[in-house]
């Protein structure tokens, strides 16, 4: 299929597909007239890339998932390198949640203390 067809089926732009190709995530062959031609197997790869990008993964993090799909697995999550990335990302999310939970508790504590005191100054 041509780049426009893949873009339409994947719900993305041709520019985005060229960007993925530049980073080695999507493969295209060149026809005799120079057009990019994509195999239908690239569609699930593009879907995987878009899903992972939306979840906050970087392009380097996505490579193992693409490699896993290209190895014939039905999911990019099925390979050890992908699982390692998922574990690392989960740890990053857990750390962020812990920081946000601590920040929320601090803000709540400060707000509660402020609400229990009379106003120190008034603007007007």
């Amino acid at each position: 299929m041509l780049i426009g067809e893949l873009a339409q089926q994947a719900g993305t732009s041709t520019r985005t597909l060229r960007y993925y190709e530049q980073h080695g995530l999507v493969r295209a062959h060149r026809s005799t007239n120079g057009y990019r031609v994509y195999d239908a197997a690239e569609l699930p790869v593009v879907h995987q890339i878009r899903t992972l990008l939306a979840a906050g993964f970087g392009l380097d993090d996505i490579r193992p998932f693409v490699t896993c799909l290209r190895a014939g697995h039905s999911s990019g999550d099925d390979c050890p390198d992908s699982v390692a990335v998922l574990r690392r990302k989960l740890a990053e999310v857990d750390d962020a949640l812990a920081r946000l939970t601590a920040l929320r508790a601090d803000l709540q504590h400060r707000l509660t203390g402020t609400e229990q005191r009379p106003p120190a100054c008034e603007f007007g």
Side-chain angles (χ1 to χ4, degrees):
M1 77 182 79
L2 296 177
I3 192 168
E5 295 168 310
L6 179 59
Q8 183 179 12
Q9 289 183 29
T12 191
S13 67
T14 57
R15 183 176 181 190
T16 298
L17 292 177
R18 286 190 294 272
Y19 179 75
Y20 296 161
E21 186 180 343
Q22 287 173 341
H23 286 83
L25 297 173
V26 174
R27 294 179 183 163
H29 305 287
R30 293 288 182 163
S31 66
T32 55
N33 60 5
Y35 291 152
R36 286 178 169 89
V37 179
Y38 296 89
D39 187 90
E42 293 304 302
L43 185 58
V45 170
V46 174
H47 284 301
Q48 179 83 76
I49 293 167
R50 290 175 48 81
T51 299
L52 292 171
L53 285 172
F57 288 76
L59 292 179
D60 287 336
D61 291 334
I62 292 171
R63 289 184 200 293
F65 297 89
V66 171
T67 301
C68 191
L69 286 172
R70 291 198 192 292
H73 296 275
S74 60
S75 170
D77 300 347
D78 292 341
C79 297
D81 290 344
S82 303
V83 171
V85 172
L86 290 170
R87 284 191 177 124
R88 183 176 45 77
K89 192 64 167 177
L90 181 60
E92 290 173 11
V93 169
D94 286 342
D95 289 345
L97 283 171
R99 287 191 309 274
L100 287 171
T101 300
L103 175 60
R104 186 188 189 292
D106 179 56
L107 293 171
Q108 184 65 50
H109 175 74
R110 293 174 72 175
L111 186 59
T112 300
T114 301
E115 290 171 345
Q116 293 175 355
R117 293 191 300 266
C121 61
E122 294 186 24
F123 298 98

